[in-house]
Amino acid sequence: MVIALRTASLVVFLLLWEWAARVPISFNFPTPWATFTALIELVWSGALLQASLTSLQSLALGFGAAVLLGVPFGLVMGVVRPIGRVARIYLDLLIALPTAALIPLVILSFGISILSSAVIVFVFCAPFVTMNAYGGVRDMRPRLVEMARSFGASWGQLFARIVLPSALPMILAGLRLGLSRAFLGLIVAELLLSPFGLGRLIMDSRSMFEHDRMFATVLWTLLLSGAALAGLARLEGRLLRWRM
Amino acid sequence: MSAPAPIEVAGLRKVYRQTTTGEAVTAIQQLDFRIEPGEVVAIVGQTGCGKSTFFDILIGLEAPTAGSIEIGGRTPYGDFDGFRGRIATVFQQDRLLPWRSALDNVRLGLEMLGLPEAQQVERSREWLARLGLGDFLQAYPHELSGGMRQRVAIARAFAVQPGILLADEAFGHLDEVTASQLRDEFVGLARANGATAVLITHQLEEAIGIGNRILVFGKPATLLADVRLDGYGADDTALLREAIQATLQTNRIDPRLLQ
Ligand SMILES: Nc1ncnc2c1ncn2[C@@H]1O[C@H](COP(=O)(O)OP(=O)(O)OP(=O)(O)O)[C@@H](O)[C@H]1O
Ligand SMILES: [Mg+2]
């Protein structure tokens, strides 16, 4: 049933696309077939993989740093309340503000390099990763802490056995949110900087009026982020089996 | 089982300062009594009279404002590490860790004691089996009924083989049949293991049914009456209930309780 629905929705989507390509909305709008062959070509020539590798490098750098710094810092914010109360103001600001406005500043400080797109990725996702870890600790049931203390738990045991597992669902949700924000940051950065990666491929094909190639690259980017998010969701499902 | 020791409560007083208003709340006015090793004691008192606060100090989670609780000459709040494994509590809600199986929940207290893993598993299995949950070792709390969850919590408390067992309204939220069954098991196991048991309860029937002794707390906690049940016969139950009820209502000991 689900599979049938999914197939049907895909078919409808492709038909709509085909229709959009035939109607003269824009005369450069490529058909699904043209996009698909362009995609195969791009994969075959290695250009796409090369670009993906470069882009994923910035993504891994930025997102990895966000996880490695954001999760522990969020946990500290939750455990040491005064730190949490001060830090959350800045994080709330970072979440509310249009972060993309910071990009020129980042380029100014880091130049146009993989590092600067990694920094932009970091700025896009770190606040979310951090706030979720913080929220996870804050949502913890104090009764469980009291219970563990009543069995003589030390502070270390309390953290490892109660605080961390209680916060885990929120932390993992934060990683998923953070990863989708990281892809957003990556694409925004690369479209603006565009000396490398998938962003460059998109901009290059656009300037050469190779709209099928451009579309193929966009499609590929979407598939890439979809796959990464699905992988993370799987990991989440496995770690949170007890909630099923 | 850790060595039996009396619980000595002397001049105990606890005043909380409310975090929001800064107002002082007297949770325990003044308590003086002694519980001998192996006794089974029920504590009754109005809601908010400081019963749970008394337990918090007994467990070592809170320090008294004045006075002391000593167990074998040492204070739980002053010597937290020294009391690990000597007192265990069954709470009102089961307070199981939802991400752990029944077996791993029972293991929790044994992990704190630093027992070897094989021994933790062995002992947890044993206690779950004894409480009739031998077939549910790997079940998660949400897969168990309320009564079964409370059995896991009881197993968790007994597994550390403490000298003192506490139950804070542990059976009140269950249906009557399950509640009395579990309460009898709890008390029976405590007796069989030579442990001291202290149960907080709202049900006077329960208090009269279980123990050697009922401590009637006023509000804020003072010891209004210390009822030794061996002084009463089976046909005194109704009288006892009425007298304790009257004591709780008037906040003054009912003359029928004075022998
Ligand atoms: N951590 C705390 N901070 C401030 N006030 C507290 C705290 N813990 C308890 N109190 C107050 O102390 C008083 C006694 O509370 P306690 O929980 O000991 O009552 P209780 O006898 O267990 O009540 P119940 O039968 O409803 O469980 C209450 O007025 C409560 O508001
Ligand atoms: Mg209470």
Side-chain angles (χ1 to χ4, degrees), chain B residues 40-62:
Chain B
V40 177
V41 178
I43 295 178
V44 297
Q46 284 182 43
T47 176
C49 78
K51 304 181 295 294
S52 297
T53 302
F54 170 65
F55 269 15
D56 286 344
I57 301 172
L58 188 57
I59 297 165
L61 300 180
E62 292 280 350

Side-chain angles (χ1 to χ4, degrees), chain B residues 88-104:
Chain B
T89 312
V90 182
F91 294 93
Q92 178 168 20
Q93 301 295 333
D94 49 71
R95 301 199 191 182
L96 300 181
L97 304 179
W99 54 86
R100 284 189 176 213
S101 65
L103 185 78
D104 289 341

